[in-house]
């Protein structure tokens, strides 16, 4: 049965069943819309009770659409509205100052990207259950705000929430408990989020892992050795518990005995690095996954 017939057949069933059926189609139907009625009714289900009304010109997210009815999200509310009174595809410009409400990440290690494309730079990675604020739609992706940063999440990995919920924290680049030098390291490193990995690169248009740490330190603190192995050897070595934002972190390379990777610790168990070929400068976690298991030590060059 096609999606159009399915939604028609279910118009008078309970709201839970309708939401479940239409939400399954949300990824392929994700787009933006603008209301054309003087007061558009948002209902619990097609032809169902009215939850709220929104004025003409209101921007909303169309999560699913059978041509007659749409499942929509607007200002933290999810419901159904007649497509007779919605103009589709209003474009990203109309969405930038409009809040759709909350969203929840539905899988682990979901990329938070700088642009709505799988080839775009990765700002960070979300874990399942993380709450974000959805502020727009672009090219079929959700545009979201998270801890002061704006980026994009593929709709396959985000579910709209009926109300906003408290945000978890990505590492903030503002930390009043550390020295101005360490703060400057975090801020300078964050400028290069989304910069592509480049073998042998030491910036600013591309970095390998130690090229990134070398470039940041050279421009903020002082020149340090170029390779991860030499950086570790020249630094004061630290345990994970001794790390302070701005210190370096070192990892084994695919289980090998030596050091094969480096990054900069930013606090809260997170670090910023240039991961590997095909990837981009991004935040990652020391608390779980491969970087937790391959962590060797921290390295300190800033004596404060």
């Amino acid at each position: 049965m096609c999606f159009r017939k399915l939604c028609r057949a279910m118009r008078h069933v309970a709201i839970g069943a309708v939401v479940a059926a239409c939400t399954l189609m949300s990824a392929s139907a994700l787009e933006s819309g603008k209301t054309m009625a003087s007061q558009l009714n948002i209902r619990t289900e097609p032809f169902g009770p009215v939850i709220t009304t929104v004025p003409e010109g209101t921007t909303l997210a169309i999560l699913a659409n059978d041509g007659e009815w749409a499942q929509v999200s607007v200002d933290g509310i999810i419901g159904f509205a007649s497509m007779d009174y919605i103009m589709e595809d209003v474009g990203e410009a109309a969405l930038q100052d409009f809040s759709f409400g909350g969203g929840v990440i539905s899988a682990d290690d979901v990329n938070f990207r700088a642009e709505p494309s799988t080839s775009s730079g990765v700002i960070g990675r979300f874990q399942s259950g993380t709450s974000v604020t959805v502020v727009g739609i672009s090219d079929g992706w959700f545009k979201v705000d998270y801890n002061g940063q704006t980026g994009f999440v593929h709709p396959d990995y985000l579910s709209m929430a009926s109300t906003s919920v408290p945000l978890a924290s990505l590492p903030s680049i503002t930390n009043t408990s550390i020295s101005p030098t360490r703060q400057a390291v975090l801020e300078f490193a964050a400028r290069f989020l989304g910069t592509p990995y480049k073998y042998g690169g030491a910036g600013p248009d591309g970095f390998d892992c130690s090229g990134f740490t070398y470039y940041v330190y050279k421009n903020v603190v002082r020149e340090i050795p170029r390779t991860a192995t030499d950086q570790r050897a020249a630094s004061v070595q630290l345990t994970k518990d001794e790390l302070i934002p701005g210190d370096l972190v070192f990892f084994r390379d695919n289980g090998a005995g030596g050091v094969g990777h480096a990054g900069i610790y930013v606090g809260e168990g997170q670090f910023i690095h240039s991961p590997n070929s095909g990837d981009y400068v991004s935040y990652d976690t020391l608390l779980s996954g491969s970087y937790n298991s391959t962590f060797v030590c921290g390295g300190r060059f800033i004596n404060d």
Side-chain angles (χ1 to χ4, degrees), residues 3-4 7-8 11 31 62 64-70 81-86 88:
F3 181 54
R4 177 188 293 268
C7 285
R8 283 177 177 171
R11 282 175 180 169
E31 58 184 332
I62 301 173
N65 169 19
D66 75 346
E68 295 186 13
W69 288 89
S82 172
M83 283 300 297
D84 289 342
Y85 306 107
I86 299 174
E88 299 175 71

Side-chain angles (χ1 to χ4, degrees), residues 5-285:
K5 291 180 180 178
L6 175 63
C7 285
R8 283 177 177 171
M10 298 183 70
R11 282 175 180 169
H12 299 289
V13 300
I15 178 176
V18 176
V19 171
C22 291
T23 299
L24 291 174
M25 302 300 296
S26 63
S28 60
L30 182 64
E31 58 184 332
S32 57
K34 182 171 287 189
T35 62
M36 297 186 294
S38 57
Q39 292 292 326
L40 178 64
N41 292 324
I42 308 297
R43 302 176 183 272
T44 60
E45 59 179 300
F47 299 111
V50 175
I51 304 171
T52 188
T53 60
V54 293
E56 184 175 2
T58 298
T59 303
L60 43 75
I62 301 173
L63 306 178
N65 169 19
D66 75 346
E68 295 186 13
W69 288 89
Q71 185 188 33
V72 301
S73 175
V74 55
D75 201 21
I77 295 172
I78 295 176
F80 291 82
S82 172
M83 283 300 297
D84 289 342
Y85 306 107
I86 299 174
M87 178 176 64
E88 299 175 71
D89 294 323
V90 301
E92 183 180 1
L95 308 180
Q96 295 198 1
D97 297 321
F98 188 86
S99 175
F100 291 120
V104 179
I105 302 299
S106 57
D108 285 330
D109 297 321
V110 173
N111 288 325
F112 183 34
R113 294 189 180 273
E115 300 294 337
S117 168
T118 55
S119 62
S120 174
V122 176
I123 299 172
R125 291 180 175 85
F126 292 122
Q127 300 306 307
S128 179
T130 303
S131 299
V132 298
T133 300
V134 181
V135 297
I137 292 170
S138 180
D139 293 332
W141 290 58
F142 283 113
K143 181 180 181 181
V144 305
D145 279 348
Y146 183 81
N147 198 33
Q149 293 182 302
T150 300
F152 297 86
V153 175
H154 194 278
D156 284 351
Y157 308 112
L158 186 149
S159 299
M160 295 298 297
S162 58
T163 57
S164 296
V165 291
L167 297 180
S169 295
L170 271 175
S172 172
I173 62 171
T174 302
N175 188 332
T176 58
S177 66
I178 61 176
S179 70
T181 299
R182 291 178 179 273
Q183 178 64 36
V185 167
L186 303 190
E187 292 177 353
F188 189 77
R191 294 184 190 179
F192 301 99
L193 285 165
T195 301
Y197 179 93
K198 180 180 179 181
Y199 181 76
D205 58 343
F207 303 96
D208 61 21
C209 67
S210 59
F212 178 63
T213 52
Y214 169 82
Y215 186 80
V216 171
Y217 263 70
K218 179 182 177 181
N219 282 277
V220 179
V221 185
R222 62 181 174 85
E223 190 163 352
I224 62 175
R226 172 63 178 82
T227 69
T229 298
D230 289 344
Q231 288 173 7
R232 178 197 179 189
S235 65
V236 176
Q237 295 182 24
L238 310 166
T239 66
K240 195 177 294 184
D241 291 339
E242 293 173 322
L243 290 170
I244 299 173
D247 288 334
L248 301 189
V249 286
F250 300 107
F251 306 88
R252 295 190 302 275
D253 186 8
N254 297 324
V259 171
H261 189 62
I264 300 172
Y265 187 66
V266 299
E268 301 175 11
Q270 310 294 307
F271 67 102
I272 186 171
H273 65 149
S274 185
N276 47 54
S277 181
D279 218 324
Y280 304 81
V281 173
S282 59
Y283 291 118
D284 230 313
T285 182

